[in-house]
Amino acid sequence: MGFARTCSVALVGVEGVVVEVQADLEPGVAAFTLVGLPDKSLTESRDRVRAAVVNSGGEWPQKKLTVGLSPASVPKAGSGFDLAVACAVLGAAERIDPRVLADVVMIGELGLDGRVRPVRGVLPAVLAAADAGFEQVVVPESAAAEASLVPGVSVLGVRSLRQLIAVLTDAPVPDEDPEEPGRPGPLLAGLRMPGAGAVTGVHSLHATYGQGHDLADVVGQISARTAVEVAAAGGHHLFLEGPPGAGKTMLAERLPAVLPTLTREESLEVTAVHSVAGLLPPGKPLIDVAPYCAPHHSATMQALVGGGPGIARPGAVSLAHRGVLFLDESPEFSGRALDALRQPLESGHVVIARSAGVVRFPARFLMILAANPCPCGRFSLRDTRCECPPSAVRRYQAKLSGPLLDRVDLRVEVEAVGRAELARRGAAGESTATVAERVRAARERAAARYAGSPWRTNSEVPGRELRSRFHAAAGAMDEAERNLERGVLTARGLDRVLRVAWTVADLVGHDRPDATDVALAVQLRTGVPRGVPMALGALA
C-alpha cells in the first residue's frame, strides 16, 4: 500500500481555501476513484492525469487508486488540481519521494501530452497559500509572473509534467521546445472566459489609456467637468443627464485617467478579481490603473452583480472594483438589475448565495449613470422640440428608482453644446494632467485627515463619524439642514452633502468646509442651481 499527499487551492469567489490532495494505492482491481465534492471538470481530471503521466514517460499504477480532496465539505471546481493529483499519484507509486510533496502547493491544468496549462485565479490561489503558511508554489510557466507578485513565496514555473518530475527527483531537467515568437500560444487558448469582455465592457479597460483621451477635448460643460473632478477626488457617484451628443460618454471615459494610480494593496485586489474572471491582459500580471467597466444596457442582473450556474463568477461591479462603472443609457437597464446595485453601493462588496455556496466579491467602485431626459432626448425647459407626451417623460424618468438615485452624490445636467462653443478656438478646458494633479493633492489631504482609520476617501466615511469628529465651519450646514426640514434632502442625502463638501474643501485647499463649499455640495447633490460658481477656482 502506498500513500502520498500534496496541496492545491480551491477558489470560492476571490478567496482561496488550501486543499490537501491525498492519493492512496491498494492491491485490487485497477480503478481510479476521486472523492471530495469535485465538479464535472475536476472529475474528468482522471483521464487527463492518466494520459499526461503516461505521455510524460511515467508508468500508471495498475492498482486500486483513491484520490481524496480534503476538506471534503468545500466545493472544488476547475482543472487547476490536475498537477497536484498527478504528483500525489506518482508519490503514492514511489516514483517521487512523498516527503518532498507534503509542503508544496501545486496549481495547473495538464494537457494529454503532459504540458502544464495556465488556469484562472492563480494570484488569489497563491495569496491563500501564503496566508496558510506555505512557502513553495508550483504554477504553469506562463503564470509565474502573476504568482511572483505575492511576497515571501518561492515560485517554480514549469512548462510540462516531465520538468516537474525531474525537479522533484533531482534529475536533469529536460528542455521543452519554446513557443515560436509571433505565434498564438496554445497554452493560453481558452484561458479567457468566452465573451466576458463583450458582456461586461472590460475590453476597453486598458484600451482607454494611451489613446489621447483628454479632458481638454470636452467642449464647454463647466458644471459637468467640476462634477467629474469632485467625483474623482472623493470617490462620489455621479449622475449625468442631458441630450444625446452633449458629451456624457466623453466625460465618463476620461474619468479613469483622472483617478490616482492604484496602491500596491489595491492593485492586488483588482488583479485577483480579473484573474478569477480570466480577464488579465496578456503580458501584464499586475493591474495598476483604475479599471473602467461599461456594460451594455442589455446586461442581466447576474452580469452586473455576479452569479451564474455553479460557483458564482464576478460581475461588472466587481470588475470595476477600485475603478469606474459606467452605465450608459441607464434607464434602459432592467429595474431589477439597477436595484441590485443598492447594496454594493453602500457596503462595497457583493454577497451571492447559491446552492453551491456563498460567495463574496469586492465591489467598491465609482458609479457614473448617464441618461437622456426623455425617450427622444430633447426634453428640457429651453427646448420645445420634444414630441414625447408628459406621461412618457414621467415613465422614462421613473425607471431610475428613488432609492438608487438617493445613493448618488452628484447630479448634473449636461447641456447641448452650441455652434459658437464648437467653433471657438483656443481657451480649451484644463487637461487631464492638470485635473489629476489637483485630485491627487485632494486625496492626500483626505488621507492625512483619516490617518489611523479604515477610510481613505470622503465617500467611505460614515455620516455619524463626519458629524461627530469632522465638523464643518460654524453655520456652514445651516442651509443644508433647512433643506432636510423641507424634504429636499433625506437624512442620507444630508450626510452625502457633508461628504461632498469635504471633497470640495480638499480641492480648493480649505481646512474644513465653509458655507460656500456646502452650497456647492447641495447644488451638485440636488441638481438645482443655487447661484454658486461651478468653477472650483472661484472658491479657492
Side-chain angles (χ1 to χ4, degrees):
M1 183 179 71
F3 176 83
R5 62 184 178 88
T6 187
C7 293
S8 190
V9 178
L11 290 177
V12 183
V14 293
E15 299 175 357
V17 178
V18 175
V19 173
E20 187 175 78
V21 181
Q22 305 167 346
D24 177 71
L25 279 175
E26 296 179 355
V29 178
F32 189 168
T33 304
L34 183 64
V35 298
L37 213 57
D39 73 339
K40 180 65 174 176
S41 61
L42 182 50
T43 303
E44 293 175 347
S45 69
R46 295 179 296 187
D47 300 316
R48 290 195 301 270
V49 169
R50 181 186 292 110
V53 169
V54 172
N55 290 327
S56 299
E59 182 179 349
W60 188 257
Q62 298 301 316
K63 295 182 180 181
K64 182 181 178 182
L65 171 61
T66 303
V67 174
L69 308 176
S70 179
S73 59
V74 177
K76 290 90 178 174
S79 56
F81 294 87
D82 288 2
L83 206 57
V85 171
C87 289
V89 171
L90 293 173
E94 299 182 352
R95 176 72 172 81
I96 302 175
D97 186 353
R99 294 172 297 180
V100 178
L101 302 173
D103 296 325
V104 181
V105 174
M106 301 184 183
I107 305 161
E109 176 186 333
L110 284 175
L112 299 184
D113 57 354
R115 293 181 303 169
V116 181
R117 297 170 55 92
V119 293
R120 291 190 287 265
V122 169
L123 177 60
V126 178
L127 285 170
D131 291 340
F134 289 88
E135 298 179 353
Q136 293 180 310
V137 177
V138 178
V139 299
E141 186 181 54
S142 56
E146 180 183 348
S148 299
L149 297 173
V150 182
V153 176
S154 175
V155 177
L156 172 63
V158 294
R159 191 175 298 173
S160 68
L161 181 60
R162 289 197 309 153
Q163 287 185 338
L164 179 57
I165 294 174
V167 171
L168 295 176
T169 57
D170 292 328
V173 179
D175 292 330
E176 298 288 347
D177 295 334
E179 300 294 336
E180 295 183 14
R183 290 188 58 187
L187 295 181
L188 298 178
L191 179 60
R192 292 174 62 88
M193 189 181 300
V199 171
T200 61
V202 186
H203 57 278
S204 59
L205 169 65
H206 300 279
T208 302
Y209 302 93
Q211 288 189 350
H213 287 122
D214 198 298
L215 271 175
D217 301 333
V218 181
V219 177
Q221 309 299 1
I222 296 177
S223 299
R225 289 172 59 95
T226 298
V228 166
E229 184 174 346
V230 172
H236 306 288
H237 307 304
L238 172 62
F239 178 38
L240 299 173
E241 185 178 26
K248 302 186 293 295
T249 303
M250 288 183 66
L251 288 163
E253 289 178 342
R254 284 151 179 77
L255 177 57
V258 178
L259 295 173
T261 303
L262 301 180
T263 64
R264 176 73 177 185
E265 179 184 355
E266 293 170 342
S267 295
L268 290 176
E269 292 176 3
V270 174
T271 303
V273 175
H274 286 76
S275 178
V276 170
L279 292 173
L280 278 183
K284 189 174 178 60
L286 183 67
I287 298 176
D288 56 0
V289 294
Y292 174 78
C293 189
H296 191 260
H297 59 75
S298 62
T300 63
M301 183 175 68
Q302 289 76 16
L304 281 181
V305 300
I311 300 296
R313 296 285 187 181
V317 296
S318 298
L319 296 173
H321 180 58
R322 301 294 181 187
V324 176
L325 176 67
F326 177 46
L327 302 182
D328 199 6
E329 306 293 346
S330 53
E332 302 298 337
F333 284 80
S334 72
R336 291 181 65 246
L338 289 176
D339 287 337
L341 299 176
R342 299 183 195 176
Q343 184 259 343
L345 286 174
E346 289 288 335
S347 63
H349 62 265
V350 175
V351 177
I352 302 172
R354 292 290 185 269
S355 59
V358 179
V359 175
R360 183 180 186 272
F361 292 115
R364 188 167 297 281
F365 55 90
L366 195 164
M367 182 181 69
I368 302 182
L369 300 174
N372 298 323
C374 68
C376 76
R378 295 192 294 266
F379 175 77
S380 71
L381 298 178
R382 294 175 295 278
D383 195 336
T384 58
R385 294 178 298 165
C386 177
E387 299 176 355
C388 302
S391 60
V393 175
R394 288 194 301 270
R395 186 164 55 250
Y396 185 81
Q397 295 179 348
K399 290 183 178 180
L400 297 178
S401 65
L404 176 64
L405 291 179
D406 196 40
R407 289 166 167 81
V408 178
D409 299 346
L410 312 174
R411 182 167 182 169
V412 176
E413 182 177 351
V414 183
E415 300 180 0
V417 179
R419 176 184 175 183
E421 291 176 301
L422 286 174
R424 185 183 307 158
R425 296 184 178 180
E430 291 179 313
S431 66
T432 294
T434 302
V435 176
E437 180 60 27
R438 281 204 303 269
V439 168
R440 184 194 59 78
R443 289 219 175 189
E444 288 179 353
R445 294 188 185 99
R449 182 166 61 249
Y450 303 132
S453 72
W455 317 302
R456 284 173 286 189
T457 60
N458 294 315
S459 63
E460 300 175 8
V461 185
R464 179 189 68 258
E465 298 291 336
L466 280 175
R467 293 189 299 270
S468 61
R469 295 174 55 186
F470 307 101
H471 301 285
M477 294 293 293
D478 291 348
E479 181 62 25
E481 292 170 354
R482 284 193 289 269
N483 285 323
L484 174 65
E485 295 175 354
R486 292 195 294 264
V488 177
L489 294 174
T490 63
R492 178 192 287 125
L494 184 65
D495 287 343
R496 291 183 178 271
V497 164
L498 184 54
R499 291 171 182 158
V500 174
W502 270 108
T503 301
V504 173
D506 289 336
L507 283 169
V508 298
H510 295 167
D511 292 335
R512 54 179 178 167
D514 57 20
T516 306
D517 298 332
V518 175
L520 178 56
V522 173
Q523 182 169 314
L524 289 171
R525 168 73 183 179
T526 61
V528 178
R530 296 175 179 270
V532 183
M534 289 299 296
L536 291 174
L539 304 179

